[in-house]
């Protein structure tokens, strides 16, 4: 007898099925069957409820350390859980930054103590091949290059080639030109380089990447954020505009539409939040700190795109769940026997408006404020354990993805 059976409507392997029984044993899914089968404890989904795999977000900033006033590992990963995201990959521009194996080790012990969801960490630009090798041994999932690192791109490409460390780039030149940076990067990389473009936002950039992907092969990967997929500079109201500063800046309607269409064309591989919290004071001050929280609303926002007919469910789940889990090499991201039971129950019969006041993130604002959604997170399971059910149910328990094994 399984520990729990979840019975109801679900999307399995990209297909919507009206009645499925998902059996959970310990941390994993032990069977998936059409119809109601088995006996023992049962969670029967209500009308309008839908069971989906939870998401993996490859691009988050959880702050903490010297910036714990903006966000900390506990509040950031609580926001993840509340948003149906049960695995996150952190970016290294913390204070102090994660630019050495020692800093990475320290970060991993903080995450082990405080994270509510499973995690991985990118390191910042490393200059020595030995350091990259040590970082890989510790489990780093990639090396993130920021605009200021691009001057020394050749050095980092060399480190990457010699160590096997994958690269992730924030492609923007000083002054903020994404397309120029993409062009420069594409001219320098080779077919066997493993490189992921973070938060691509411009049609011109994506067109160049599409050509290069065809020419160079599959090792180029592209992330897009919900804000670049769903918001444009032109559409913002006064209130959203106050806090909408972000890198890259929100683009035009045409850019937004082109990047969105890249989801179905498969030139956009991942949807990632770029959850980047600051205090409201930092946002509205002269400095206009770039970035805003996104973990809590990414999945409901994108699911609404499916419910309103603008995106296929199989595409959506591929970009939010399956592909990022594959990138991290973990058995998650689908409702499949042997995979971890990382699941989310959505209510798709409600209509609700985003209100950042309710965020578990310390940053309680969003340019999506007031937006109407057709999907709301009801409950979230992380490796078989109910971690969120309208409120957070755990104080920690997140694991380093390196510890997660194929079953
Ligand atoms: C990010 C941040 O605040 O750390 N800000 C942002 O606007 N995206 C940095 C980044 O991802 O480039
Ligand atoms: Zn960035
Ligand atoms: Zn970022």
């Amino acid at each position: 007898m399984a520990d729990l059976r979840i019975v109801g409507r679900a999307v399995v392997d990209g297909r919507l099925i009206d009645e499925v029984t998902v059996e959970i044993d310990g941390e994993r899914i032990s069977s998936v069957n059409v119809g109601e089968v088995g006996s023992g404890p049962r969670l029967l989904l209500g009308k309008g409820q839908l069971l989906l795999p939870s998401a993996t977000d490859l691009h988050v900033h959880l702050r903490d350390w010297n910036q714990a006033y903006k966000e900390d590992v506990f509040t950031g990963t609580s926001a993840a859980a509340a948003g149906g995201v049960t695995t996150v990959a952190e970016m290294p521009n913390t204070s102090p930054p994660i630019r050495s194996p020692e800093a990475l080790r320290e970060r991993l012990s903080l995450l082990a103590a405080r994270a509510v969801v499973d995690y991985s960490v990118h390191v910042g630009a490393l200059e020595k091949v030995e350091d990259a090798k040590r970082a890989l041994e510790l489990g780093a999932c990639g090396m993130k290059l920021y605009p200021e690192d691009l001057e020394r791109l050749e050095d980092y490409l060399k480190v990457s080639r010699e160590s096997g460390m994958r690269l992730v780039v924030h492609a923007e030149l000083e002054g903020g030109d994404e397309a120029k940076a993409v062009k420069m990067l594409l001219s320098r990389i080779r077919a066997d380089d493993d490189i992921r473009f973070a938060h691509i936002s411009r049609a011109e950039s994506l067109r160049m990447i599409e050509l290069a992907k065809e020419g160079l092969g599959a090792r180029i990967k592209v992330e897009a954020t919900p804000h670049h997929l769903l918001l444009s500079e032109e559409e913002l109201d006064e209130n959203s505009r106050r806090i909408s500063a972000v890198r890259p800046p929100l683009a035009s309607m045409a850019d937004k539409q082109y990047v969105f269409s890249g989801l179905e064309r498969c030139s956009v591989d991942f949807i990632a939040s770029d959850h980047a919290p600051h205090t409201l004071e930092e946002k509205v001050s002269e400095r206009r700190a770039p970035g805003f929280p996104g973990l809590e609303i990414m999945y409901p926002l994108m699911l609404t795109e499916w419910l309103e007919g603008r995106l296929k469910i199989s595409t959506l789940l591929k970009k939010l769940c399956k592909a990022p889990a594959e990138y991290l090499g973990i058995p998650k991201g689908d409702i499949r026997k042997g995979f971890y039971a990382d699941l989310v129950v959505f209510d798709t019969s409600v209509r609700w408006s985003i209100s950042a006041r309710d965020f578990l993130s310390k940053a309680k604002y969003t340019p999506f404020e007031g937006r109407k959604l057709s999907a709301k997170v009801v409950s979230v399971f992380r490796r078989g354990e109910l971690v969120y059910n309208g409120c957070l149910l755990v104080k920690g328990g997140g694991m380093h993805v390196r510890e997660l094994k194929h079953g």
Side-chain angles (χ1 to χ4, degrees):
M1 194 167 75
D3 293 335
L4 181 67
R5 291 178 302 139
I6 305 179
V7 181
R9 209 156 64 102
V11 179
V12 176
D13 199 17
R15 279 188 314 127
L16 181 66
I17 305 177
D18 270 333
E19 196 184 41
V20 180
T21 301
V22 177
E23 287 192 307
I24 300 174
D25 256 314
E27 297 192 319
R28 298 193 192 239
I29 296 169
S30 55
S31 77
V32 184
N33 285 290
V34 175
E36 181 172 357
V37 300
S39 59
R42 176 182 79 159
L43 171 66
L44 184 62
L45 301 189
K47 211 166 175 281
Q49 293 192 336
L50 175 64
L51 183 70
L52 297 175
S54 55
T56 290
D57 189 341
L58 290 180
H59 190 144
V60 305
H61 304 267
L62 301 178
R63 312 297 191 206
D64 213 308
W65 287 345
N66 295 327
Q67 295 176 327
Y69 67 94
K70 296 180 196 242
E71 187 82 292
D72 61 43
V73 164
F74 177 72
T75 54
T77 55
S78 300
V85 177
T86 52
T87 310
V88 295
E90 267 214 282
M91 288 304 176
N93 64 337
T94 44
S95 169
I98 306 165
R99 285 187 69 169
S100 65
E102 293 67 38
L104 174 59
R105 192 174 294 122
E106 225 172 282
R107 191 67 181 182
L108 289 169
S109 50
L110 171 66
L111 286 156
R114 305 283 291 152
V116 165
V117 300
D118 297 339
Y119 52 85
S120 187
V121 180
H122 298 83
V123 286
L126 301 176
E127 285 159 24
K128 287 186 274 176
V129 176
E130 308 83 73
D131 278 355
K133 284 190 176 151
R134 279 180 60 208
L136 281 173
E137 281 161 19
L138 291 168
C141 62
M143 180 159 95
K144 173 83 185 281
L145 303 180
Y146 285 91
E148 58 272 25
D149 303 317
L150 296 183
E151 264 174 45
R152 304 195 45 198
L153 179 63
E154 285 309 326
D155 297 342
Y156 300 125
L157 280 170
K158 186 164 176 284
V159 170
S160 165
R161 287 164 189 161
E162 286 176 21
S163 65
M165 175 75 83
R166 300 181 291 196
L167 293 181
V168 186
V169 278
H170 177 132
E172 257 188 323
L173 295 181
E174 305 297 336
D177 195 325
E178 182 187 85
K180 249 199 204 133
V182 165
K183 189 170 180 192
M184 182 277 285
L185 282 155
L186 291 174
S187 72
R188 305 277 192 88
I189 61 179
R190 303 192 310 222
D192 56 343
D193 288 327
D194 193 322
I195 182 162
R196 181 173 119 227
F197 286 93
H199 45 52
I200 283 298
S201 66
R202 271 28 184 198
E204 192 185 351
S205 319
L206 190 57
R207 272 196 205 99
M208 286 188 280
I209 294 172
E210 283 167 353
L211 288 174
K213 271 190 164 199
E214 279 166 31
L216 278 175
R219 284 163 79 92
I220 302 177
K221 294 276 192 300
V222 173
E223 285 172 19
T225 67
H227 46 279
H228 292 120
L229 290 165
L230 303 175
L231 294 177
S232 68
E233 167 60 26
E234 295 140 49
E235 292 160 292
L236 291 180
D237 63 29
E238 192 71 17
N239 264 332
S240 305
R241 197 175 299 273
R242 272 184 347 133
I243 47 95
S244 68
V246 64
R247 292 168 57 197
L250 295 180
S252 70
M253 201 107 92
D255 285 314
K256 176 188 89 168
Q257 283 162 356
Y258 192 79
V259 177
F260 192 97
S261 67
L263 291 168
E264 299 287 8
R265 276 200 309 283
C266 280
S267 55
V268 173
D269 300 281
F270 312 110
I271 301 171
S273 71
D274 195 6
H275 179 84
H278 301 281
T279 64
L280 187 57
E281 291 69 36
E282 291 167 325
K283 291 297 293 176
V284 299
S285 76
E286 205 73 347
R287 210 172 66 80
R288 305 255 169 215
F292 32 73
L295 270 166
E296 267 146 289
I297 51 175
M298 171 170 72
Y299 207 153
L301 274 167
M302 297 313 302
L303 201 57
T304 297
E305 293 305 296
W306 165 60
L307 288 162
E308 296 181 358
R310 292 184 287 273
L311 202 57
K312 286 192 209 133
I313 189 70
S314 54
T315 305
L316 177 63
L317 297 182
K318 199 153 129 198
K319 319 289 163 162
L320 271 178
C321 310
K322 200 159 182 269
E326 273 166 12
Y327 185 87
L328 295 180
I330 53 177
K332 291 195 183 193
D334 204 349
I335 298 180
R336 185 186 302 176
K337 183 179 172 189
F339 272 29
Y340 285 102
D342 277 46
L343 303 166
V344 48
V345 177
F346 274 98
D347 186 343
T348 59
S349 66
V350 285
R351 221 29 206 162
W352 66 289
S353 310
I354 293 175
S355 164
R357 265 204 342 224
D358 302 332
F359 283 180
L360 299 187
S361 167
K362 289 186 185 178
K364 300 192 192 298
Y365 55 82
T366 169
F368 287 105
E369 183 73 30
R371 190 170 172 113
K372 298 216 165 20
L373 299 183
S374 315
K376 201 169 191 343
V377 173
V378 176
S379 18
V380 180
F381 294 83
R382 176 208 63 201
R383 284 179 278 105
E385 185 180 357
L386 184 64
V387 294
Y388 179 86
N389 196 12
C391 60
L392 193 74
L393 302 174
V394 291
K395 292 208 170 88
M399 275 172 67
H400 190 189
V401 298
R402 188 164 80 138
E403 313 291 323
L404 305 182
K405 303 278 181 314
H406 283 270

